């Protein structure tokens, strides 16, 4: 049984339709990430589950109960926000104990739960401090601790790492992943950062304009994107797209030949199955799937080289002015203005 189920969920703000016909099942213990560009409806969808916004239509179940009429406190959820929202005048202990006090737990039960959560988060030594005496990462850990003590059916996170600097963001991301393994709690996590989505999720939900574009494991979405949007959104650097025309297609519509302004390619997997021979298509090739090859069909002149140490990213321009990128772990002996030629792995390319 699904731990969280959304059926035909819609949300309007006034006349603006921000969540459109969302159907989703989240299993017990699963780590699900809602990802998509700013304004696509990630927070709204999370807030509908939390009960901070009211549905316009549809149903939501948590642990087999319809929860639409329940207030947030009765839904079996605990939420962690981007702004930690700690009480500045209370110690870490009392911040974490606050909701348990409200719920009328005994002093000993509260102390037990708070100590256990502090131990899990390795911050027992911070329990007597006030938030002002903590770093950003430590404050976010308190906010996570405050969620843990409630022992919820579902954890909800809305961009919890956005206020942290890059190093701390990485560190806290790893901690959240470990914590999830340890607690095995169902988690829904909102981010616009595709790296967070790829590294944390068991299941990614890609949203665009309030519509679910694809649901699947990180590798399913990376290897078999259902559309150009998902293909372009996941992966860094972004997938290259070359415009052209479909010159022939197999009877079962699974593969097709492509002719672009600069080069042709045969037998590429066809994602947009509704397309017919002669129609305009885009050939998508990830920067990592190009390889330097003096006999390769793709030619480009180098416009930028980024040497990242672990990876070199080269930006190029084809003769017909299509920009594309090549990424390689090697430290290339190439310079701005050089011409380079590439072949690519046909089996990893897609036509949209
Ligand atoms: N209270 C509100 N009243 C009216 N419109 C709203 C309200 N809250 C959100 N919206 C609109 O709904 C859409 C979705 O907003 P939402 O906050 O869910 O996006 P998001 O994906 O979380 O974006 P971000 O990554 O910037 O946080 C946006 O167009 C936003 O302007
Ligand atoms: Mg948001």
């Amino acid at each position: 049984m699904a731990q969280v189920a959304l059926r035909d969920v819609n949300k309007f703000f006034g006349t603006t339709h921000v969540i459109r016909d969302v159907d989703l099942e989240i299993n017990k213990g699963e780590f699900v990430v809602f990802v998509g560009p700013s304004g696509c409806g990630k927070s709204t969808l999370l807030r509908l589950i939390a009960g901070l916004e009211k549905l316009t239509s549809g149903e939501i179940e948590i642990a087999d109960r319809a929860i639409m009429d329940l207030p947030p406190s009765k839904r079996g959820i605990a939420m962690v926000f981007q702004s930690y929202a700690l009480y500045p005048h209370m110690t870490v202990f009392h911040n974490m104990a606050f909701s348990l006090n409200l719920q009328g737990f005994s002093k000993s039960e509260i102390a037990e739960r708070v100590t256990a959560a502090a131990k899990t988060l390795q911050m027992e030594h911070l329990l007597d401090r006030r938030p002002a005496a903590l770093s950003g990462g430590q404050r976010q850990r308190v906010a996570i601790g405050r969620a843990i003590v409630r022992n919820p059916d579902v954890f909800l996170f809305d961009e919890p790492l956005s206020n942290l600097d890059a190093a701390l963001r990485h560190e806290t991301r790893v901690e959240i992943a470990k914590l999830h393994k340890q607690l095995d709690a169902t988690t829904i996590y909102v981010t616009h950062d595709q790296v967070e989505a790829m590294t944390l999720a068991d299941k990614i939900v890609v949203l665009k304009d309030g519509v679910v574009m694809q649901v699947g494991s990180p590798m399913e979405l990376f290897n078999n994107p259902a559309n150009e949007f998902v293909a372009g959104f996941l992966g860094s650097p972004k997938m290259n797209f070359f415009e052209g025309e479909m010159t022939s297609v197999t009877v079962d519509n699974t593969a097709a030949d492509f002719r672009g302004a600069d080069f042709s390619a045969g037998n590429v997997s066809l994602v947009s199955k509704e397309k017919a021979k002669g129609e305009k298509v885009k050939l998508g090739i990830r920067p990592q799937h190009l390889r330097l090859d003096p006999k390769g069909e793709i030619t480009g002149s180098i416009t930028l080289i980024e040497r990242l140490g672990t990876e070199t990213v080269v930006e190029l321009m084809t003769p017909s002015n299509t920009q594309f990128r090549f990424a390689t772990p090697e430290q290339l002996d190439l310079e701005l203005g050089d011409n380079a030629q590439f072949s690519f792995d046909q089996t990893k390319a897609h036509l949209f």
Side-chain angles (χ1 to χ4, degrees), residues 83-320:
S83 60
Y84 326 119
L86 302 179
Y87 297 106
H89 59 287
M90 290 185 196
T91 63
V92 168
F93 181 95
H94 289 294
N95 265 286
M96 282 166 62
F98 189 77
S99 73
L100 300 180
N101 273 321
L102 285 185
Q103 287 176 63
F105 282 93
S106 71
K107 271 211 157 58
S108 61
E109 170 84 21
I110 292 174
E112 203 172 296
R113 287 198 187 197
V114 171
T115 315
K119 196 166 171 210
T120 305
L121 294 165
Q122 292 168 11
M123 43 181 225
E124 292 155 290
H125 60 296
L126 301 175
L127 283 172
D128 294 330
R129 293 224 197 142
R130 301 238 165 119
L134 299 176
S135 71
Q138 289 169 334
R139 282 179 211 174
Q140 192 53 287
R141 292 229 292 281
V142 178
I144 295 170
R146 199 171 44 181
I148 292 176
V149 297
R150 300 182 54 186
N151 196 15
D153 294 319
V154 185
F155 283 96
L156 306 177
F157 289 91
D158 193 350
E159 309 238 13
L161 309 184
S162 333
N163 284 354
L164 308 178
D165 68 38
L168 202 51
R169 202 152 62 216
H170 180 247
E171 203 174 293
T172 315
R173 187 178 90 209
V174 172
E175 271 178 31
I176 289 177
K178 283 188 186 152
L179 190 65
H180 177 251
K181 295 257 175 310
Q182 199 177 334
L183 299 176
D184 218 11
T186 312
T187 303
I188 308 177
Y189 185 105
V190 163
T191 180
H192 62 269
D193 179 358
Q194 54 101 14
V195 177
E196 274 176 40
M198 292 295 287
T199 53
L200 286 170
D202 295 315
K203 184 150 99 186
I204 297 181
V205 178
V206 182
L207 287 164
K208 181 188 175 223
D209 299 334
V211 178
V212 174
M213 302 301 285
Q214 192 173 3
V215 179
S217 74
M219 281 306 135
E220 271 163 26
L221 268 54
F222 187 79
N223 293 327
N224 296 308
N227 46 60
E228 184 187 337
F229 181 80
V230 173
F233 193 78
L234 297 178
S236 174
K238 285 190 184 316
M239 186 182 271
N240 297 305
F241 293 104
F242 299 94
E243 291 184 11
E245 165 185 325
M246 202 155 80
T247 50
S248 73
V249 57
T250 56
V251 238
D252 59 357
N253 268 33
T254 53
D257 296 337
F258 164 88
R259 185 173 62 219
D262 301 294
F263 66 97
S264 298
N267 197 24
V268 181
S269 120
L270 178 63
V271 176
S272 307
K273 308 251 184 264
E274 73 290 353
K275 299 250 175 169
K277 182 179 164 182
E279 283 194 62
K280 283 198 160 70
V281 283
K282 285 183 191 167
L283 173 65
I285 307 174
R286 294 203 184 275
Q288 295 85 353
H289 295 156
L290 288 168
R291 41 175 190 254
L292 279 168
D293 176 354
K295 291 202 218 78
E297 56 273 64
I298 308 177
T299 306
S301 146
I302 298 178
T303 52
L304 187 75
I305 303 180
E306 291 180 303
R307 298 185 195 281
L308 306 173
T310 52
E311 189 183 43
T312 309
V313 178
V314 184
E315 192 183 275
L316 305 103
M317 193 73 98
T318 67
S320 79

